[in-house]
Amino acid sequence: MAKKGKTAINPTREENYPAWYQQIIKAADMAENSDVRGCMVIKPWGYSIWENIQKSLDEMFKETGHVNAYFPLFIPKSFFEKEAEHVEGFAKECAVVTHSRLEDDGKGGLKPAGKLTEELIIRPTSETIIGASFSKWINSYRDLPLLINQWANVVRWELRTRLFLRTTEFLWQEGHTAHETKEEAITETFKILDIYARFAEEFLAIPVIKGKKTESEKFPGAVSTYTFEAMMQDKKALQAGTSHFLGQNFAKASDIKYQGKDGKEEFVWTSSWGVSTRLIGALIMAHADDNGLVLPPKIAPAQIAIIPIYRNDEQQKEVLNFIDKLRNKIKPLRYFENKIRIELDDRDPTGGEKVWHWIKKGIPIRLEIGPRDIQHNSVFMGRRDKNPNEKESVNVDEFINNLTEILDEIQNNIFQKALKFREKNIVKIDDKAEFYKFFTPQNKKNPEIHGGFAFSQWCENPDCEEQIKTDLKVSIRCIPLDSTKEEGKCIYCGNKSNKRVIFAKSY
RNA sequence: CGGGAUGUAGCGCAGUUCGGUAGCGCGUUCGGUUCGGGACCGAGAGGUCGCAGGUUCAAAUCCUGUCAUCCCGACCA
């Protein structure tokens, strides 16, 4: 009989959250560390999730008038130096290309040669090089707005990396837009933030809080940064993506000017925005449980795994035949305009191992189909939003008829569960001592999962923000956009304050 | 980049104190029995013990260096 422990993933979230996270990725076979420090290999199951993210977001960008383009991986150092704050923010984590070829070093190895006259930076983000193109492309107000997106890889030489959450090289999209007026650029910034938030909630099933970053947390070179923050199951906040209003900072740095209707030359107003493979990390930490990954149907590489059950060749033929017919019935169905993807697991039939294999991979629906089901024209269904042992026999026609609703239900259940978790762990705190207690673990040596989001008053003094960060490692994640004015006292200094912000530990 | 921990078969680990040439569970391969909750029996394959030096007749084990991973800190999508 089964020799397994209580959970498929060990350690559990409660026992050791960071180790649990690594195990989820391993068990679902999503990615692994590469031979290059800090870089990951994204394996098919993980990459497929990224492809689905790309597909959905790309559609949303295009629906709102954006077009894709591609800019170089390399940025001349001089371009990069143009925006002072930008340099300061990114200089410490830039990979620099200094040579263009390799030569025999006379010891059986190779040495770099062909020193470049100007060093090239591998893009950590592309504001500057895209700005250079924009300045050529834009002449007149008729050229505006310019709404460009690129899907690319970027490199940030991080000192501490974690699969998906922070890697030296990562995949993302970066939107860059130029507008005639400040208002238009700001509208764009919010429009994208809304798209991101909608995508996170409707596709990734992750509830998010939209908000503005404080001065200390904003993007280097931006006038203002907007973020959408999600709560992970260890109650920490994850910045899932950002949208920046850049004012005319980069327009001035890259000399992006247009001639207005009045004939006068003006600098454009720009925005930039991005989400990355970090979203996959968010997906894992928002939904996965102690039995493995949990995938919302809309973003899953496949929605259904079919496990055939049989004893002999004759039964195998019969079962596979039945499955084939089932697949043909599913084929014309569409789930959010997409085909429903099915994985048939016809490896050698070995008991329930295959069932657990798919549970760990987070597949939304598992179907076990054997002779007994064929007899009753039914399928044996397990759902990832329910306990692994909660399985039910469903009539085939009923299953087909209800399939999209079932997927919807799973999608919704996953979202609701995450939402409930967040609501439970977001607390209004107005007392300083309580605030400190909230963010201090009971067990100092081996901190348990604690804290959450504290929705507290802040007087807008950066010193208060800084002190809290020093004391508790808690930062202001954002000033929620829907945070209404409310008279109160700053949680740190007690001075008059008129709004609440989200405090949390973060990734 | 600073502090701590860990590197032994695909995965999880023992062996290191006290040096003697590598083992367990899972997985994997083959044969058979099985098959509706992680099957069983039998027979195999698989490791220059992270890497490089050093000490020694002899190193997974002792010493030095180095690399990687994980955790904490500083920094960040």
Side-chain angles (χ1 to χ4, degrees), chain A residues 12-26:
Chain A
T12 60
R13 288 163 290 186
E14 199 60 49
E15 286 161 357
N16 185 341
Y17 194 85
W20 164 84
Y21 176 77
Q22 308 283 341
Q23 288 306 318
I24 291 287
I25 293 171
K26 197 177 281 182

Side-chain angles (χ1 to χ4, degrees), chain A residues 426-460:
Chain A
I426 181 162
V427 197
K428 271 191 189 180
I429 300 180
D430 290 314
D431 178 69
K432 190 171 175 180
E434 196 188 321
F435 184 91
Y436 272 65
K437 195 178 159 203
F438 185 66
F439 285 116
T440 307
Q442 307 266 313
N443 183 349
K444 285 219 171 77
K445 264 190 151 175
N446 185 16
E448 74 284 1
I449 292 173
H450 67 281
F453 287 8
F455 194 38
S456 300
Q457 291 279 343
W458 176 54
C459 66
E460 294 188 47

Side-chain angles (χ1 to χ4, degrees), chain A residues 141 259-266:
Chain A
Y141 71 92
Q259 202 172 21
K261 284 176 199 161
D262 55 6
K264 274 192 198 154
E265 215 172 41
E266 302 276 2

Side-chain angles (χ1 to χ4, degrees), chain A residues 333-395:
Chain A
L333 298 181
R334 291 292 177 274
Y335 182 59
F336 284 86
E337 296 171 25
N338 289 312
K339 283 185 185 173
I340 292 168
R341 298 175 290 270
I342 299 172
E343 292 272 349
L344 174 62
D345 191 351
D346 195 23
R347 293 174 295 168
D348 271 352
T350 60
E353 190 280 329
K354 289 197 278 190
V355 173
W356 285 99
H357 173 82
W358 291 105
I359 289 174
K360 286 185 279 191
K361 277 184 167 293
I363 201 104
I365 294 177
R366 302 183 308 277
L367 296 181
E368 291 167 55
I369 298 177
R372 211 186 294 161
D373 303 289
I374 296 176
Q375 226 167 40
H376 301 110
N377 192 38
S378 66
V379 292
F380 205 52
M381 176 176 71
R383 293 165 46 159
R384 196 60 182 88
D385 62 331
K386 299 188 172 177
N387 288 326
N389 56 5
E390 249 182 82
K391 292 192 278 200
E392 54 177 328
S393 188
V394 189
N395 175 275

Side-chain angles (χ1 to χ4, degrees), chain A residues 83 313 375:
Chain A
E83 217 291 332
D313 290 356
Q375 226 167 40

Side-chain angles (χ1 to χ4, degrees), chain A residues 4 12 48 78 80 85 134 171 200 203 208 241 252 258 306 339 345 367 374 392 406 412 419-420 448 452 463 465:
Chain A
K4 72 185 180 80
T12 60
S48 180
S78 59
F80 204 72
E85 267 185 49
F134 276 19
L171 306 181
F203 286 79
V208 295
K252 285 173 182 165
Y258 73 96
I306 299 178
K339 283 185 185 173
D345 191 351
L367 296 181
I374 296 176
E392 54 177 328
I406 294 170
N412 196 41
L419 184 62
K420 247 185 226 163
E448 74 284 1
D463 292 341
E465 183 187 13

